[in-house]
Amino acid sequence: MNIVVLAAGMGKRMRSDLPKVLHRLAGRSLLAHVVDTSRTLAPGRIVVIHGHGGERVRAALDAPDLAWAKQEPQLGTGHAVMQALPFLDDAVPTLILYGDVPLTRADTLRRLVDAAGADRFGLLTVDLAEPDGYGRIVRGDTPPGDRPSEDGRGPVLRIVEHKDASSAERAIREVNTGIMVVPTPLLRRWLAALSNDNAQREYYLTDIVAMAVAEGVPVAAVQPAAEWETLGVNSPAQLAQLERIHQRTLADTLLEAGVSLADPARIDVRGSLVAGRDCHIDVNCVFEGTVVLGDRVRIGANCVLRDTTVGDGTEILPMCHVDSAAVGADARIGPFARLRPGTRLADDTHVGNFVEIKNTSLGAHSKANHLAYVGDAVVGERVNIGAGTITCNYDGANKHVTVIEDDAFIGSDTQLVAPVTVGRGATLGAGTTLTRDAPAGQLTVSRARQTSLPDWKRPVKTPKIPKE
């Protein structure tokens, strides 16, 4: 099939300089959701119609499998599809989607395409309790001898836009979603016959339904499994509504897979989250990019994980931020820990409160439990990094590596001025500033000699003289 995605609208009600289709839902733009769903249908080509903020839209989504057509001026949905005609293959039907309707399931679209086949008109409709603003589906009686539709309704005759509808037509609850499948040669002919003689002075794509009926082309109407699949975004409030709907759907999928969620209404997945058996996720956690949790992983409240893998049996305590890291099995992270990109923690490692680790490997059974910064370092196994330790990895121009070999003990309030190596089994005394390599198996201490002054007096404040 061909797929045409309409993404040229300005989105005035968004009250934003950002093109409407670039507003984000679950961490991705509205248009990206539609394009990704389109790709799962394996179309011959995808044509995106852009207009308002068009170059910005194209820059955000451009890919070799997308064709782009600009709609300028913007004279309605029919006029938008006209811009795609040079890119369409007449040998296959054309599916028309909308860049601000992000949650339509691929299975629903497949049912629509299958119902239309190669020579019928496929139309996605939905029943709404409050259909104001939507085009109404006007149906007729089923002719004698003809089989009624699956829902028992008569054949589709036409679509009437809300502003052009009579009182009786506005009482209809079945509405047009705008999503349709049309035989491409017929689409070309019907678009050429469109008129803008209506209240909006626009070329309505929906007018081609009546043309199909007039020519005796069967119209197959299909409805989605859920109403929210057809909801579009025209305002920040609608975007927020869809965000919560989508997140609850993702949460339900996790629950069905056996993940324990403290509150399914308080989790945000902005990408892909794969979790093993017996995982538990507390409230207000955010997962971005690709996150993979092993078995028996526990994530505490208010954590953010991005592009991270977590091994079996690991616990991440509340208030942690983990970005582009790999955490081994049976580790303990946090609370209030930050793992920055390039962090690689082996099994049974401990990273405690207010510890920041960046571009560092931490060997098995090693720990940094309190108030430390470890950056650009290679840390061996069974290493203890004391509170207040800092790897001084940046000289103002370049980053340098600190190497701490197996079984080393780093005392509290130590500064390791890279490049420097701490030998296997070495001990650094508390307060040491290490500027040269520390020999293996020895104690290295660098601190000023302690003295006491018996006659020293603590300064006192000078009394203030009152102003006369």
Side-chain angles (χ1 to χ4, degrees):
M1 76 190 82
N2 309 298
I3 294 182
V4 177
V5 182
L6 306 189
M10 179 179 295
K12 292 181 180 178
R13 284 197 285 157
M14 296 300 293
R15 299 184 182 278
S16 171
D17 293 334
L18 186 69
K20 180 171 67 170
V21 295
L22 294 186
H23 283 264
R24 291 185 172 269
L25 182 144
R28 292 184 297 154
S29 70
L30 300 175
L31 181 57
H33 281 273
V34 180
V35 169
D36 287 349
T37 300
S38 298
R39 288 177 173 137
T40 68
L41 302 175
R45 62 200 61 191
I46 303 172
V47 185
V48 181
I49 310 301
H50 62 104
H52 177 71
E55 296 310 312
R56 191 172 179 183
V57 172
R58 182 167 181 170
L61 272 294
D62 206 4
D65 63 335
L66 300 181
W68 295 84
K70 191 169 186 178
Q71 183 191 18
E72 192 176 37
Q74 294 162 33
L75 302 177
T77 51
H79 179 257
V81 179
M82 292 176 193
Q83 314 312 307
L85 293 178
F87 300 93
L88 303 184
D89 179 2
D90 283 3
V92 293
T94 296
L95 171 64
I96 298 170
L97 304 176
Y98 293 80
D100 60 354
V101 182
L103 299 184
T104 312
R105 291 170 168 162
D107 287 346
T108 296
L109 297 176
R110 289 191 189 97
R111 286 196 297 112
L112 177 62
V113 171
D114 290 344
D119 56 0
R120 285 174 290 178
F121 194 119
L123 194 64
L124 190 67
T125 70
V126 67
D127 291 332
L128 297 180
E130 298 180 4
D132 286 359
Y134 288 87
R136 307 304 203 276
I137 303 297
V138 180
R139 292 179 180 259
D141 296 327
T142 303
D146 284 6
R147 173 182 286 184
S149 62
E150 292 182 3
D151 56 10
R153 298 174 177 178
V156 175
L157 299 181
R158 60 190 175 91
I159 300 172
V160 60
E161 295 298 325
H162 179 83
K163 291 185 177 181
D164 301 314
S166 65
S167 297
E169 290 168 338
R170 290 188 179 187
I172 297 170
R173 292 290 178 262
E174 185 183 14
V175 304
N176 171 46
T177 66
I179 296 173
M180 58 181 67
V181 183
V182 190
T184 304
L186 297 179
L187 177 64
R188 292 183 187 276
R189 188 169 77 246
W190 292 336
L191 288 175
L194 285 180
S195 166
N196 66 346
D197 185 15
N198 52 59
Q200 293 285 85
R201 307 300 299 172
E202 292 183 350
Y203 296 93
Y204 292 151
L205 180 62
T206 50
D207 287 349
I208 68 175
V209 176
M211 296 179 187
V213 172
E215 293 187 19
V217 177
V219 178
V222 171
Q223 293 216 340
E227 176 185 313
W228 50 257
E229 292 188 59
T230 68
L231 297 180
V233 173
N234 290 301
S235 68
Q238 290 175 340
L239 179 60
Q241 177 190 19
L242 282 195
E243 180 76 46
R244 295 330 316 154
I245 290 171
H246 184 54
Q247 291 300 337
R248 183 56 200 245
T249 301
L250 296 175
D252 288 343
T253 300
L254 291 170
L255 291 168
E256 291 170 5
V259 180
S260 171
L261 303 179
D263 185 348
R266 288 191 283 171
I267 179 174
D268 281 80
V269 179
R270 300 169 185 169
S272 169
L273 172 60
V274 178
R277 298 176 67 85
D278 299 312
C279 289
H280 176 77
I281 299 173
D282 210 331
V283 299
N284 300 328
C285 290
V286 178
F287 301 90
E288 300 179 342
T290 300
V291 177
V292 179
L293 308 180
D295 297 339
R296 304 179 309 282
V297 171
R298 299 183 66 84
I299 308 295
N302 304 299
C303 288
V304 178
L305 278 70
R306 178 188 297 117
D307 292 322
T308 289
T309 60
V310 181
D312 296 347
T314 287
E315 182 174 13
I316 299 181
L317 297 170
M319 309 293 180
C320 290
H321 192 284
V322 184
D323 185 0
S324 303
V327 181
D330 300 312
R332 184 178 175 89
I333 312 299
F336 297 98
R338 185 183 182 194
L339 306 184
R340 291 171 57 192
T343 297
R344 299 169 302 282
L345 306 184
D347 298 346
D348 188 34
T349 47
H350 291 186
V351 175
N353 47 284
F354 304 105
V355 173
E356 179 181 354
I357 298 184
K358 168 250 179 188
N359 194 32
T360 290
S361 61
L362 197 65
H365 318 297
S366 292
K367 55 187 177 181
N369 275 332
H370 322 279
L371 302 156
Y373 169 70
V374 185
D376 296 292
V378 179
V379 180
E381 298 182 353
R382 299 173 299 278
V383 171
N384 182 86
I385 298 176
T389 294
I390 297 173
T391 57
C392 305
N393 56 324
Y394 184 52
D395 64 7
N398 300 294
K399 300 290 180 67
H400 301 279
V401 175
T402 297
V403 177
I404 304 174
E405 296 180 350
D406 296 348
D407 300 302
F409 183 96
I410 311 300
S412 297
D413 195 30
T414 294
Q415 299 85 46
L416 297 95
V417 183
V420 71
T421 296
V422 178
R424 184 184 180 95
T427 298
L428 301 187
T432 293
T433 298
L434 191 72
T435 58
R436 298 189 301 273
D437 292 351
Q442 297 184 23
L443 169 66
T444 299
V445 180
S446 168
R447 60 169 76 116
R449 181 181 180 86
Q450 180 174 315
T451 60
S452 298
L453 304 177
D455 297 325
W456 179 82
K457 301 294 183 183
R458 180 180 295 172
V460 296
K461 285 186 177 182
T462 302
K464 290 185 178 180
I465 300 173
K467 293 181 179 180
E468 293 183 356

